[in-house]
Amino acid sequence: MENKYIFTSESVTEGHPDKVCDQISDAILDELIKQDPQTHAGIETLATTGLVVVAGEIRTKGYVDVAEIVRKTIKEIGYDDHTMGFHWEDCGVIVTVDEQSPDIAQGVDAGKGKYKQQGAGDQGLMFGYASDETSELMPLPIMLSHKICKKLAMVRKSGQLPYLRPDGKSAVAVEYQNGKPKRIDSVVVATQHDEKVSEARVEKDVLNKVIKPICQKYIDKKTKYYINATGRFVKGGPPADAGLTGRKIIVDTYGGHGSHGGGCFSGKDPSKVDRSASYMARYVAKNVVASKLAKKCEVQLAYVIGYAHPISVLVDTFGTGKISDDNIEKLIRKYFDLTPAGIIKNLKLLRPIYKKTAAYGHFGRKEPDFTWEKTDKANVLAKAARKLI
């Protein structure tokens, strides 16, 4: 019996208010790590009409001009027209940053806390996921949604569609048959634009220059399109919707496929396992799928603040594993160092690489700095698994 269903994932552009905040938080983090790789930071940003507020806790030997980084980031995103109600040059910037709690610091500094190894920077649970349905080993709906949003930014910044403005969203509904993506049922795009352009032109241009180049392989005559479904999207960005760091955690990960532990990534240095262990869980899951041990794999890691090793490791291959999930878990524990220090070292996380992660997803990106996307352990896992079969 054929099993048919539709799964939808969404993404947002770099000019979406929440993503503006994610990029500001990570731009500040990058500058601090550039000066002091041992920086510990939890940086939160709020953006609203004409105002950006930066708050959080930082321990660092570096110094940054926060207001300058805020303005530079906003300018790069494209808020450079005063008619938008939000402009890099004259928006207010309020900074309220405290020092990291010494109680937390002693738990993440090796040799200073209750346990001698570097401990996790917080309690929490993290998930990683991989699927063989795309070359990136990611779910198809979220990959297409990201690519549409990135294309919106490209045609705007290149001048191909000069009337577009930075804010926007996409969603792609993919029809699956027996667990495999077959076609796109519908595509949703909302893109901010200037007030002079007609609704008809926006629809035509977005369909032909954004959606079709990205989605053509999966489009058919029954595919439906919803482009600026309200008919108008002139007021956008922070003046239309206040933004906050960490409010797009499903966009940042797998678009709703798999599970999520609840912690966001942006503004957090890699001592925070919310970020680093999520990257590690993706690395592990991707290598399991790349090794052909499973078609899908979800990995859960759980940590307690101040303690180095995860208190639990859980593997779920959704019935697609060639060996048992229990045996895959044993291989993971053997071939991957899951301590915070091991994660940071093996994934080379003490580098200023984070701003680029803050838009268009943290996973499925074919860029050298995204070390958690490597599949260098796949052959090791495949060889070890053969001894268990």
Side-chain angles (χ1 to χ4, degrees):
M1 183 175 178
E2 185 179 63
N3 177 24
K4 186 186 293 186
Y5 62 91
I6 294 172
F7 193 96
T8 304
S9 295
E10 71 161 352
S11 183
V12 298
T13 65
E14 62 200 63
H16 184 281
D18 295 331
K19 278 289 144 205
V20 170
C21 293
D22 285 343
Q23 289 166 92
I24 288 171
S25 292
D26 274 341
I28 295 167
L29 176 64
D30 276 353
E31 184 56 36
L32 289 169
I33 288 179
K34 191 185 298 181
Q35 296 180 40
D36 177 12
Q38 299 303 321
T39 289
H40 290 178
I43 303 163
E44 311 291 346
T45 303
L46 159 72
T48 186
T49 307
L51 178 66
V52 173
V53 180
V54 178
E57 298 78 41
I58 296 174
R59 178 164 60 115
T60 185
K61 296 176 182 176
Y63 169 78
V64 296
D65 185 333
V66 173
E68 181 181 2
I69 292 177
V70 168
R71 296 185 193 285
K72 181 181 178 183
T73 304
I74 294 169
K75 183 180 181 181
E76 289 173 351
I77 291 168
Y79 285 105
D80 54 7
D81 184 337
H82 287 281
T83 64
M84 296 184 204
F86 190 73
H87 194 282
W88 68 271
E89 204 168 25
D90 58 13
C91 68
V93 180
I94 296 175
V95 182
T96 170
V97 174
D98 292 323
E99 187 176 358
Q100 183 188 40
S101 164
D103 299 338
I104 295 175
Q106 72 173 9
V108 297
D109 290 345
K112 291 188 178 180
K114 189 174 182 179
Y115 304 97
K116 297 309 176 187
Q117 286 181 278
Q118 177 181 344
D122 202 354
Q123 168 186 311
L125 48 136
M126 302 83 207
F127 289 90
Y129 181 82
S131 167
D132 68 356
E133 63 190 72
T134 64
S135 61
E136 298 92 350
L137 301 187
M138 286 283 287
L140 181 63
I142 188 65
M143 291 308 301
L144 293 177
S145 297
H146 283 325
K147 289 176 181 179
I148 287 172
C149 283
K150 198 165 189 177
K151 188 73 171 178
L152 283 172
M154 289 172 61
V155 297
R156 169 174 62 88
K157 291 181 174 181
S158 69
Q160 191 175 358
L161 299 182
Y163 58 81
L164 293 185
R165 287 178 167 177
D167 197 359
K169 280 183 156 184
S170 71
V172 179
V174 174
E175 182 181 297
Y176 286 76
Q177 294 177 20
N178 297 324
K180 295 183 178 181
K182 292 298 181 182
R183 59 178 292 274
I184 292 174
D185 184 73
S186 58
V187 181
V188 180
V189 173
T191 181
Q192 188 185 11
H193 56 84
D194 69 32
E195 58 186 355
K196 297 177 182 178
V197 69
S198 69
E199 179 183 344
R201 183 180 175 189
V202 174
E203 286 191 19
K204 180 182 176 183
D205 285 349
V206 169
L207 178 61
N208 293 320
K209 297 182 179 180
V210 178
I211 294 173
K212 285 186 175 179
I214 298 297
C215 300
Q216 192 66 57
K217 180 180 176 182
Y218 296 95
I219 289 173
D220 60 24
K221 292 180 180 179
K222 294 183 179 180
T223 300
K224 300 177 286 293
Y225 306 98
Y226 303 91
I227 300 169
N228 281 6
T230 69
R232 176 181 169 90
F233 188 1
V234 173
K235 185 174 182 178
D241 179 18
L244 290 169
T245 298
R247 206 160 55 178
K248 286 292 175 283
I249 59 175
I250 300 302
V251 171
D252 284 344
T253 52
Y254 308 101
H257 270 101
S259 305
H260 199 295
C264 81
F265 303 153
S266 290
K268 296 176 181 177
D269 75 275
S271 73
K272 310 287 193 299
V273 283
D274 274 341
R275 182 170 220 158
S276 55
S278 294
Y279 290 176
M280 191 63 175
R282 162 64 177 170
Y283 177 54
V284 172
K286 187 174 183 182
N287 276 273
V288 169
V289 173
S291 71
K292 309 293 186 184
L293 291 181
K295 293 181 178 297
K296 297 179 183 179
C297 182
E298 180 179 273
V299 175
Q300 186 203 49
L301 305 175
Y303 293 84
V304 59
I305 189 168
Y307 186 69
H309 295 278
I311 59 173
S312 68
V313 178
L314 176 66
V315 175
D316 187 353
T317 60
F318 307 94
T320 69
K322 289 185 177 178
I323 61 175
S324 71
D325 291 351
D326 183 56
N327 278 331
I328 292 176
E329 179 199 327
K330 290 175 182 176
L331 293 179
I332 289 169
R333 288 182 179 274
K334 181 175 181 179
Y335 292 105
F336 295 89
D337 186 342
L338 302 176
T339 65
I343 293 170
I344 290 168
K345 179 182 178 182
N346 292 323
L347 298 184
K348 300 181 175 66
L349 296 181
L350 296 180
R351 297 174 295 139
I353 58 173
Y354 296 107
K355 183 187 172 189
K356 68 181 69 174
T357 69
Y360 313 119
H362 293 248
F363 307 123
R365 306 269 292 272
K366 296 178 180 179
E367 299 181 36
D369 285 334
F370 287 58
T371 51
W372 48 93
E373 292 298 315
K374 295 188 299 181
T375 54
D376 55 335
K377 296 275 192 176
N379 289 336
V380 173
L381 292 175
K383 184 177 180 180
R386 283 196 287 270
K387 299 178 182 178
L388 301 175
I389 296 175

